[in-house]
Structures are given as structure tokens and as C-alpha cells.
Amino acid sequence: MTQRLNGILLIDDSEADIFLMSRIIKKAAITEHLITTYEAQEALDYLSNLKNYETSTVDLIFLDINMPSMTGWEFLEDYNRLPEAVKSKMVLCMITTSTAIEDKEKAAKYELIKQFINKPLTPKKLTAIIEEHFPKIHLQPSPKTGKN
Amino acid sequence: MKLPKIPKNENDRLEDLKSYSILDTLSEKDYDDLTAIASEICNTSISLVSLIDDKRQWFKSHHGLSAEETPKAYAFCAHAINNPNEILIVPDSRKDERFHDNPLVTGDPRVIFYAGVPLISKNGYPLGTLCVIDDKPKVLTKNQLKSLTALANQVMRLMELRKQTKLLDDALSRLKEKNEDLEKFAFIASHDLNEPLRTVDSFVEIIKEEYHNPKDTNLNTYFSFIHNALTRMRTMIDSLLDYSRLGKSKTYALINIQKLITDIKIDLTECITVSSAVIQQTELPNIICHPSEIRQVFHNLIINGMKFQKPNAIPEISISYENTPTHWQFCIADNGIGISPNKQKEIFEMFTRLHPTSKYDGLGIGLAFCKKIIEIHNGNIWVESLPDKKGSKFYFTISKHLTI
């Protein structure tokens, strides 16, 4: 049986982007659970309420920057206060439309941010992240028709 | 003692006085010089620039008197402004029923002699006077009065200048604010437009992936139109974003323009070879400028010179410069199709194109970039052109006062 991630958490206020990312992640068949939220606060609440960190359901987080009410940067401030046991288990990937160099430079200063990618998420970008941070996960060869 | 009458249209007059923003400002040498001269010419101990406010007279300049203001009720000048076209002369106030028991006459500074020339604003309101005062009776000669009147005119000139400068400063700071808003707007608009564009793009890709049928030629035509429009729009949005960022980082350096042109020619090797273009240049100077942005200007203008040509023509481009006292002035001349006089301003605006894409490809952004870059360098850009004759000459200037 193929080994998969426990869970991937998507935080993005855009319905279209959640749809597109979900589609790619589902096609890649790399995770047991896919959790999606349109608000950063909701994601924080979810993470803070995880009972048993050992069997945490989230391994990988995709976080958007530009969101109303709580931005990706504000999310990070609160996320940082989570217990080390939780944070160390999760890979946080910032994903944004921002072509602004300032955002990329700012992200580089956060140790919490393991990856910074520009939208859209493509199968190729997803593969690269999995290969880098989850070497044990066996990836299925990507279908030939998909756009990389 | 008689109280001064309230002038006609007093509210409008006070409003006019306020518009000079001069009340309660610090003393200024320009005004003090004029009162000193007035005292000297008229041989009096005191001279004032007095402005009549609502309840007081306030002195912009007070030569020979320490007070900065006195109540309006005692002010000689408040009487003077009621006959704006005349000089109020009081040879001996002790014999004048309007002033004989005025505390300023009976006590210090003992205003026995008074002569005041009304200061008339541009809008026709008497704002106050330039006056001379002494503690002895006095008679002024015709020439003294003439000089006093001339000095009063100078006081009014100073005040008008002050008002104009203030209006100009206000307008400038408003303009600056608006410009900053506009730049922010361009940045935000282009940044936020990217998002829906990318969504459309992504879903078009999904439709292609899931419903693509190589045999459906109509569908493929539609897709190619959508694809082209999206590509074009993305380029436009990216250009707007780049445009709004121009000049953000002002890192100037001393640049050898001669070498810059050589580098650009290397970049354009393919284009030059294909069109057999001849690019000539005179010896070019070293200047302080924003390196990558000035490179962009030369690059765009050289490219344009090669591009806007009659079919099969061999482009000839020559680059030269002139050393003016304040600026470096460059000229890039070509033998192309030229630009009609009524379009020579328009071409520097964003997304302006004069020809259909089928004839000359492009988005109409190159010259808008050039213009903004040159403006950042405190210069000008313009074109001289005679259509169908000798091509175009693009000129631009770069200030010599930029510092690294």
C-alpha cells in the first residue's frame, strides 16, 4: 500500500483557489485527509484544538498571504505560539499571487516558512514540495495529460 | 475721541486679510527694511506695517515701537482704511477731535503726528496701512508722501508674493499627494487584477484538459482567442505593475553610456542582423543615472527605430548627445516611418498604439516607460518627426545634478 500524508490543510479565502488546489492534491492521491478553510482564524482554532499531537492529522499547510480579517502574516504570529510538538510535525508552505519581492524577502526571514511558492499550485510544484519535505511518501507518476 | 467706523463689507475684508496667512507670524527683514526706510525718509521715530484685524491692529513690522498690537478702538490706521484712496494725515492729534483724548496720544507712545497710506489688496480691500508716527507735530513734503506711497506699494507686493507662494506650496503638496495616490492605485489595481486573471486561466486549462477534443476545430479556435487575450492581458498587467514600481529604488551610479550602447547592441544582435540595421554613435559621455532604467530607455528607443520601418527598409539609427549647462541631452534618430505631429504627445501615454498589431506588433508601453524614467531623472522627452521623409528624432534630457 502506498504511504500517504495524514492530512493537508489549505488556508485561502479564494473559493476558486481552494478548488484548484484541492483538485491537484486529490489527483496526486498523496493524503488521507484534506482540510480546507476560507479563514485563517478557523484554521488556527482547528490547530489549537488538536487533542493528540502525536497522531496529528495535519502534515502540510498551504497558507495564502492576502486574506481579509486575518492575513497570512497575522496567522503566523499566532501559529508561532502553538506548542513546539505541533509545529515541528507540520510543514508550512506560503502560497501567494504576490509577485512582490518584499513578500518573498519577508518570508525568508521566517524560520516557520519552509517553502514559498507562487500561485497557481501545479502538480510539478506539489511534487517538488513532497519530494523535499516528505521523502518517504511514494509518489505516483503524474498523468501524461496533466499540465505541469 | 471718535471710534473708527466699521468698514463696508467688513466680513469680506477680514476674510481677504486671513487669506494672506500673515497675522501673528514672526517679523521678517523684508518688512522691517521698508519701515526703517519709511522712518528715515519721513524723519519720524516710528513706522509700522499695521493690519486691521477684527478687534485689534497687529503690526507685521514695528520700527521704533515695542508693542506688537493695540486695540482697534485706538488705532489711527483703523480710521485710515475707511478712506482707502487717501493718505490719512494728522499733523497734530492734540488738536483733532477724533484723537485728542486717545490714550495713545495722551500717554506713550504719544502719537502726535501720524501719516498712514492704506494697503489695498488685489481684491480691493484695505487691509491696513504703512504709517509713520512721531511725538511732535510735523508736516511731510510732497516728495516724502510720494516715497511713503511707493513704500506702501512695496509692502503690498511683499504680501501678494507671500500669498502666491503659499498658494503654490499648497497646490504642490496637493499634487504630490495625488501623485502618490495614483502610484499606489496603479500598484494595487495591477496586483489585484492578477488574481481573477489567474483563476480564469486555470479553469480554461481544466476545461481543455477535461473536455479537449482535437477534432473540434471551432473549440480550438475559441481556446486560442482566449489564450491570446489572457496572455496579452497578463503582459499588460505585469507592465502596469512594473511601471508603478519604476523609480522606487533610487540607486544612481556613474555610467559609461558608450559601453551601455555596446551592451544593448549585443542584446539586440539577432534583431540587428535580421534587419541589417546600421547603428552609429558619436562618442558618448559618462553620466550619473539609474543604470537599469536608462538602459531601458536607450533599448526601447533603438528597438523602436528598427521596428517602425517600411517593409524591407534598412534601418539607420544614430545616437548623439549635447552637453547643455544643466542637462545631458541625447538624440536617437532613425530613418523610419515617422510620427504625425498630432500624435507626438500621445505616443508617450500608456497603452497608446498608432498602428494595428497586424502591421507593427506591440502593447504601447515602451515610450510610457521612457517618459516616466526620464521624469525621474528630472528631464524631458520629446520627438521631432516628419512623416515619410527623414524618420524620427527622439530627444531626452537627464539632469546633471543627480547624485550617487
Side-chain angles (χ1 to χ4, degrees):
Chain A
M1 203 183 120
T2 313
Q3 201 194 339
R4 298 178 175 201
L5 296 180
N6 275 324
I8 296 177
L9 172 62
L10 304 181
I11 312 167
D12 196 318
D13 63 306
S14 156
E15 234 176 297
D17 283 343
I18 291 265
F19 180 91
L20 290 164
M21 287 192 282
S22 302
R23 184 175 178 271
I24 284 165
I25 292 166
K26 280 178 193 159
K27 279 204 165 189
I30 48 163
T31 183
E32 295 293 335
H33 302 280
L34 181 61
I35 306 131
T36 60
T37 58
Y38 298 119
E39 278 183 64
Q41 187 59 52
E42 204 184 312
L44 266 180
D45 294 345
Y46 176 82
L47 292 171
S48 325
N49 289 330
L50 286 176
K51 291 263 159 56
N52 187 346
Y53 300 131
E54 291 306 311
T55 59
S56 159
T57 47
V58 178
D59 297 311
L60 176 61
I61 300 173
F62 286 103
L63 173 68
D64 184 26
I65 295 182
N66 293 314
M67 289 182 285
S69 89
M70 184 188 262
T71 67
W73 301 119
E74 287 161 350
F75 171 88
L76 282 175
E77 300 300 317
D78 287 3
Y79 176 84
N80 200 18
R81 287 189 213 111
L82 289 175
E84 202 55 45
V86 185
K87 284 186 286 181
S88 62
K89 258 201 103 221
M90 293 186 277
V91 170
L92 199 142
C93 175
M94 211 140 201
I95 178 156
T96 178
T97 30
S98 175
T99 48
I101 298 163
E102 303 86 61
D103 276 340
K104 197 162 187 178
E105 282 171 353
K106 193 172 173 185
K109 288 184 192 147
Y110 282 82
E111 230 178 283
L112 287 172
I113 304 171
K114 303 293 182 216
Q115 196 88 37
F116 185 94
I117 59 171
N118 283 319
K119 286 180 183 178
L121 179 69
T122 58
K124 203 174 172 182
K125 288 179 191 169
L126 182 65
T127 305
I129 292 167
I130 299 295
E131 278 173 354
E132 183 175 344
H133 299 284
F134 304 97
K136 285 182 190 160
I137 303 294
H138 173 72
L139 286 160
Q140 294 177 345
S142 49
K144 275 177 189 163
T145 46
K147 189 202 170 193
N148 283 340
Chain B
M1 190 182 96
K2 280 190 177 169
L3 290 174
K5 280 188 214 143
I6 305 291
K8 281 184 279 175
N9 308 325
E10 178 63 355
N11 286 340
D12 295 342
R13 192 191 69 82
L14 286 171
E15 205 52 48
D16 199 32
L17 175 60
K18 272 197 196 113
S19 74
Y20 289 83
S21 316
I22 191 169
L23 292 175
D24 300 308
T25 54
L26 294 174
S27 64
E28 286 172 60
K29 190 171 181 297
D30 286 348
Y31 294 88
D32 292 344
D33 284 349
L34 292 176
T35 49
I37 296 171
S39 261
E40 185 64 34
I41 289 172
C42 299
N43 196 20
T44 61
S45 55
I46 295 173
S47 172
L48 309 167
V49 171
S50 163
L51 300 168
I52 308 299
D53 197 4
D54 189 17
K55 294 270 188 306
R56 57 170 180 165
Q57 63 171 339
W58 178 83
F59 307 134
K60 177 61 187 171
S61 174
H62 43 104
H63 177 84
L65 183 76
S66 57
E68 288 186 349
E69 58 179 52
T70 64
K72 189 175 177 180
Y74 307 146
F76 283 55
C77 301
H79 289 271
I81 63 169
N82 281 325
N83 286 311
N85 301 319
E86 290 171 24
I87 305 176
L88 174 65
I89 302 174
V90 183
D92 188 340
S93 60
R94 292 165 301 186
K95 296 173 187 163
D96 194 308
E97 60 164 349
R98 293 170 292 181
F99 305 113
H100 67 96
D101 54 352
N102 186 317
L104 299 177
V105 174
T106 53
D108 276 342
R110 295 183 57 78
V111 183
I112 306 298
F113 167 77
Y114 172 94
V117 186
L119 299 168
I120 313 295
S121 75
K122 215 174 176 181
N123 294 332
Y125 295 105
L127 305 179
T129 69
L130 169 68
C131 64
V132 286
I133 290 169
D134 209 62
D135 57 2
K136 319 178 267 299
K138 197 179 248 325
V139 176
L140 292 184
T141 65
K142 243 187 186 171
N143 278 340
Q144 282 174 317
L145 289 172
K146 214 171 139 188
S147 301
L148 192 63
T149 308
L151 287 173
N153 287 338
Q154 290 308 313
V155 171
M156 208 51 235
R157 288 254 165 95
L158 282 178
M159 286 177 62
E160 294 297 348
L161 196 66
R162 172 194 185 86
K163 187 172 171 177
Q164 293 305 323
T165 310
K166 191 176 173 292
L167 286 176
L168 206 64
D169 283 350
D170 289 353
L172 270 177
S173 68
R174 271 204 304 279
L175 200 66
K176 213 177 142 204
E177 222 170 83
K178 290 271 172 253
N179 261 328
E180 280 166 9
D181 284 355
L182 210 61
E183 276 180 22
K184 259 187 223 153
F185 173 78
F187 177 79
I188 292 167
S190 48
H191 183 260
D192 290 359
L193 285 174
N194 248 322
E195 198 270 323
L197 182 65
R198 199 177 33 73
T199 304
V200 172
D201 207 11
S202 300
F203 280 94
V204 169
E205 285 305 323
I206 291 183
I207 296 171
K208 263 190 185 170
E209 193 183 312
E210 295 184 0
Y211 302 97
H212 185 62
N213 176 2
K215 286 176 194 157
D216 192 337
T217 46
N218 274 353
L219 192 66
N220 291 332
T221 310
Y222 306 156
F223 273 135
S224 83
F225 273 114
I226 294 174
H227 176 76
N228 290 344
L230 284 173
T231 308
R232 197 173 164 77
M233 186 157 169
R234 190 172 310 109
T235 317
M236 284 167 103
I237 288 175
D238 287 347
S239 315
L240 265 184
L241 205 56
D242 290 344
Y243 183 80
S244 75
R245 281 182 185 149
L246 282 178
K248 279 259 160 74
S249 66
K250 282 192 177 166
T251 44
Y252 292 104
L254 184 66
I255 295 300
N256 181 333
I257 299 296
Q258 192 81 21
K259 180 167 182 307
L260 187 86
I261 301 294
T262 312
D263 291 347
I264 292 172
K265 278 189 195 166
I266 293 169
D267 282 355
L268 298 176
T269 308
E270 197 190 331
C271 191
I272 294 171
T273 317
V274 169
S275 62
S276 321
V278 182
I279 302 177
Q280 290 176 317
Q281 72 216 52
T282 60
E283 189 141 327
L284 297 169
N286 295 328
I287 67 168
I288 291 174
C289 65
H290 200 298
S292 62
E293 298 186 351
I294 287 302
R295 185 190 176 114
Q296 219 176 327
V297 172
F298 278 107
H299 187 276
N300 286 348
L301 293 176
I302 293 170
I303 282 257
N304 280 355
M306 292 196 281
K307 179 167 136 188
F308 293 100
Q309 291 281 348
K310 275 171 257 165
N312 302 322
I314 292 175
E316 287 169 27
I317 293 163
S318 61
I319 304 163
S320 57
Y321 86 103
E322 258 178 66
N323 188 353
T324 80
T326 54
H327 288 80
W328 303 104
Q329 180 177 312
F330 292 91
C331 174
I332 292 161
D334 64 52
N335 61 339
I337 54 172
I339 297 150
S340 59
N342 60 338
K343 301 283 185 191
Q344 291 179 2
K345 270 220 157 89
E346 212 178 296
I347 53 169
F348 294 103
E349 289 165 16
M350 197 69 171
F351 300 132
T352 298
R353 305 177 60 252
L354 303 183
H355 309 279
T357 326
S358 53
K359 224 170 167 185
Y360 297 103
D361 196 17
L363 289 165
I365 54 180
L367 290 177
F369 271 63
C370 291
K371 183 164 191 264
K372 189 166 173 194
I373 293 168
I374 294 305
E375 280 168 0
I376 291 165
H377 288 79
N378 295 330
N380 273 316
I381 184 166
W382 69 97
V383 65
E384 286 171 11
S385 175
L386 299 165
D388 294 328
K389 287 189 182 159
K390 284 178 185 157
S392 304
K393 281 181 179 169
F394 280 89
Y395 293 92
F396 64 88
T397 57
I398 293 174
S399 168
K400 284 182 173 176
H401 303 297
L402 303 170
T403 48
I404 293 174

